[in-house]
Amino acid sequence: MIRLLIADDHAIVREGIKKILALAQDIQVEAEAVDAIEVMKHLDDGVTFDVLLLDLSMPGVTGMSLITQIKAQYPAFPILIFSMHNEAQIASRAIKAGAAGFIAKDSDPEILLEAIRRVAAGRNYIDPALAEQMAFDALMPPKSAPHAILSSRELEIFALLVAGKRVNDIAYILNISNKTVSTHKLNLITKMKLHSTADLVHYALEHKLFA
């Protein structure tokens, strides 16, 4: 039996995952967490899990930082990222940080089940569409692309802005202040030498980001 720890701050998402997993005889949800603090508490309590299914956009500590923290304390513990961001660069950063797998939240249920099983077995799994893009980027790395120099948090906020989220929405989703979101927004626009959210949307469409 694969014992799963689900980390996502949205109850409706956790319930949806549990309904999908209820159809599988070999996967059991052992515990749930809504932020990084709860994730680390479950791990530090000594409960045995086979896989952590982790959302990158939880409140507090960012997903990338949490991956690094977990791998520093529990190097062999498998982490599967389950993210609303289906962008190859974000997936690549997560894998480099130590995640064993990455799938998007709009993936088919069969992909979720396969990914959990693969990661629990000590293997890696990346959503096929993302894997193809990551392979292409490895052959022709977009080093000159302005978005390549963004931090993980800036890239995350970039994706949310392109998705139509306003500063207040992003602050709520990421559980950070409006001022912090505005600062990140200004920084990423400056780094990319753009001028507005409309420019960001146009850039994302032109470079086929967050599709």
Side-chain angles (χ1 to χ4, degrees):
M1 180 68 71
I2 298 171
R3 293 157 295 187
L4 193 68
L5 169 58
I6 299 176
D8 193 298
D9 59 314
H10 294 99
I12 192 169
V13 173
R14 298 196 306 274
E15 290 303 314
I17 293 171
K18 287 190 289 186
K19 286 183 179 180
I20 292 172
L21 299 181
L23 303 175
Q25 301 298 315
D26 59 333
I27 304 172
Q28 177 178 310
V29 177
E30 198 74 23
E32 302 173 38
V34 300
D35 56 26
I37 294 174
E38 288 194 0
V39 170
M40 296 310 300
K41 183 178 185 303
H42 282 304
L43 297 181
D44 293 340
D45 282 347
V47 180
T48 301
F49 301 102
D50 296 303
V51 178
L52 166 61
L53 185 63
L54 175 65
D55 174 27
L56 281 180
S57 301
M58 292 192 304
V61 178
T62 64
M64 300 298 180
S65 298
L66 181 56
I67 295 170
T68 303
Q69 181 180 349
I70 293 171
K71 298 307 287 187
Q73 294 184 233
Y74 305 96
F77 185 50
I79 301 171
L80 172 61
I81 301 301
F82 187 57
S83 175
M84 64 180 173
H85 304 303
N86 58 347
E87 215 285 297
Q89 190 180 21
I90 294 177
S92 180
R93 292 188 185 193
I95 298 300
K96 288 177 181 177
F102 191 106
I103 59 173
K105 285 187 176 181
D106 59 0
S107 299
D108 291 334
E110 292 77 11
I111 287 181
L112 172 62
L113 296 175
E114 181 181 359
I116 292 172
R117 290 169 180 143
R118 288 272 292 271
V119 170
R123 298 158 67 189
N124 298 93
Y125 188 93
I126 301 175
D127 185 292
L130 288 173
E132 181 179 355
Q133 183 59 51
M134 289 167 68
F136 181 79
D137 288 348
L139 292 173
M140 300 180 64
K143 292 181 180 178
S144 60
H147 69 275
I149 65 174
L150 299 179
S151 69
S152 296
R153 181 61 105 184
E154 289 166 349
L155 194 62
E156 187 175 36
I157 290 175
F158 182 13
L160 290 168
L161 288 168
V162 170
K165 303 298 183 183
R166 295 174 296 181
V167 168
N168 288 346
D169 300 326
I170 297 172
Y172 176 78
I173 291 170
L174 300 180
N175 196 31
I176 56 180
S177 70
N178 291 8
K179 183 178 179 180
T180 299
V181 174
S182 295
T183 299
H184 282 305
K185 178 182 176 181
L186 177 61
N187 288 342
L188 73 92
I189 286 177
T190 301
K191 283 183 179 181
M192 297 176 67
K193 299 181 180 180
L194 300 175
H195 302 93
S196 66
T197 300
D199 288 343
L200 291 174
V201 173
H202 179 75
Y203 179 96
L205 290 172
E206 183 180 357
H207 290 79
K208 299 180 180 179
L209 301 177
F210 319 122

